Amino acid sequence: MITLTFIGYGNVAQHLIKAFLNNSEIKVQQVFLRDASKAIYPAIDFEFISDWNQLTPADIFIVAVSDDYIAEVSSQIPLKNQLVVHTSGSVGLDTASDQNRRGVFYPLQTFTKGKKVDFKEIPICIETEFSSDLDVLKKIAKAISNKTHIINSQQRKALHVAAVFINNFTNHMYQLGSEICQENQIPFAILEPLIAETAAKVTHLSPFEAQTGPAKRNDQKTINAHIDFLKSDAIKQSIYKLLTQSIQENGKKL
Ligand SMILES: NC(=O)c1ccc[n+]([C@@H]2O[C@H](COP(=O)([O-])OP(=O)(O)OC[C@H]3O[C@@H](n4cnc5c(N)ncnc54)[C@H](OP(=O)(O)O)[C@@H]3O)[C@@H](O)[C@H]2O)c1
């Protein structure tokens, strides 16, 4: 039996706890949250605590707090020689306090409160300071996911930047597209099949192969007409020009 203690009870911690609770090899032992009034008591037997001195040793401490507080929070754990992992995509392993053995347990997915996720499909990126800690982290990753990757801090930083392009920026493109639809009395839902097909295509083609559109075709008249269409919105127009340039420069790399 592997015992886990969570520090922090936000989005990621709550999703992870739910995933681990269904596993007979893993026991969630304690959950530390600084504001006891935020504890939600599911019908299970772990303990909520809000006093650092009540923490007891566990096989793994999972620090799932906001990136900026990982260093401070990990230094408050009043125990020694414990394995303490954080869940961030962008914070280095060495940001956590060195009073314990450090590691990373980063689930590469976007989590939304109340929205169910299928952990089996979520890649878990793990890293440990000491190779002797890798096995136990692998075990808990494999208990909830079919996709475990050993990724070092430099790779994780790169992965996080890539994920910002792929997820956050793409979503912002949806927002801009939805504004253009709204301004022209077109339902955004009309674009849903295109959104689904765009995402589906890159599972069997490279993004380079999947690229279509006026920029890819070098259709200059259409590009000029679109730039003119956007003349009243300087930001959308600059984004359009920059992305068109990026697609065209990319085409020249062949
Ligand atoms: N959200 C995602 O999609 C996602 C995906 C992968 C990885 N991550 C990473 O997972 C970590 C947690 O993210 P999250 O989305 O779960 O954040 P969140 O929902 O904002 O929850 C943060 C938790 O940290 C606690 N906390 C913040 N400062 C603290 C402090 N000084 N002392 C004690 N507890 C403190 C908060 O307590 P209060 O409720 O009292 O403020 C809350 O329980 C971050 O490192 C994030 O980068 C997030």
Side-chain angles (χ1 to χ4, degrees):
M1 177 78 72
I2 299 170
T3 53
L4 304 183
T5 284
F6 280 83
I7 312 288
Y9 192 56
N11 228 331
V12 168
Q14 291 185 32
H15 275 99
L16 281 175
I17 290 169
K18 222 173 263 166
F20 284 124
L21 286 179
N22 297 322
N23 196 286
S24 57
E25 305 291 299
I26 292 167
K27 178 171 170 45
V28 178
Q29 184 168 278
Q30 294 182 306
V31 176
F32 176 94
L33 72 178
R34 57 181 170 176
D35 178 358
S37 72
K38 288 188 178 165
I40 304 162
Y41 285 87
I44 33 94
D45 60 351
F46 62 76
E47 180 189 23
F48 279 111
I49 55 169
S50 294
D51 175 352
W52 289 110
N53 294 316
Q54 288 180 301
L55 275 182
T56 54
D59 292 316
I60 308 175
F61 284 78
I62 300 184
V63 176
V65 304
S66 330
D67 292 355
D68 289 354
Y69 295 103
I70 289 170
E72 178 189 324
V73 166
S74 59
S75 72
Q76 283 178 288
I77 297 172
L79 297 164
K80 294 272 179 284
N81 198 27
Q82 302 292 302
L83 174 57
V84 176
V85 304
H86 71 66
T87 59
S88 172
S90 54
V91 173
L93 175 139
D94 57 1
T95 301
S97 160
D98 63 2
Q99 71 196 22
N100 281 296
R101 299 172 346 253
R102 298 174 286 191
V104 179
F105 189 86
Y106 167 50
L108 206 179
Q109 185 51 286
T110 170
F111 296 95
T112 310
K113 269 207 179 95
K115 184 162 186 316
K116 263 191 166 176
V117 291
D118 178 6
F119 257 100
K120 289 279 167 232
E121 293 305 314
I122 297 179
I124 309 278
C125 303
I126 58 172
E127 180 183 10
T128 54
E129 183 176 14
F130 301 102
S131 52
S132 51
D133 284 323
L134 202 53
D135 266 0
V136 71
L137 217 49
K138 259 190 209 161
K139 269 189 197 145
I140 67 159
K142 285 187 172 159
I144 57 171
S145 167
N146 294 331
K147 299 176 179 178
T148 305
H149 299 269
I150 298 166
I151 298 278
N152 68 33
S153 287
Q154 183 56 32
Q155 290 172 314
R156 196 159 28 81
K157 203 182 274 178
L159 196 56
H160 197 239
V161 175
V164 167
F165 272 94
I166 280 160
N167 173 28
N168 306 151
F169 290 172
T170 300
N171 192 69
H172 187 62
M173 293 300 131
Y174 297 163
Q175 168 65 25
L176 301 186
S178 126
E179 284 173 18
I180 293 169
C181 283
Q182 210 173 353
E183 285 157 15
N184 291 277
Q185 296 80 47
I186 306 161
F188 179 63
I190 206 168
L191 292 168
E192 280 171 8
L194 185 60
I195 292 172
E197 176 61 11
T198 308
K201 260 205 309 194
V202 289
T203 62
H204 57 274
L205 292 177
S206 70
F208 183 83
E209 290 166 324
Q211 188 68 53
T212 59
K216 167 82 175 198
R217 291 190 301 271
N218 255 320
D219 226 336
Q220 202 53 49
K221 277 189 187 155
T222 307
I223 293 169
N224 291 344
H226 288 176
I227 291 170
D228 183 61
F229 179 89
L230 295 168
K231 61 178 178 283
S232 61
D233 189 328
I235 290 185
K236 280 198 191 78
Q237 197 188 52
S238 324
I239 292 172
Y240 187 100
K241 284 181 182 169
L242 195 60
L243 289 180
T244 295
Q245 187 189 349
S246 178
I247 293 168
Q248 290 179 331
E249 295 290 328
N250 224 265
K252 288 180 199 156
K253 283 184 195 163
L254 255 191

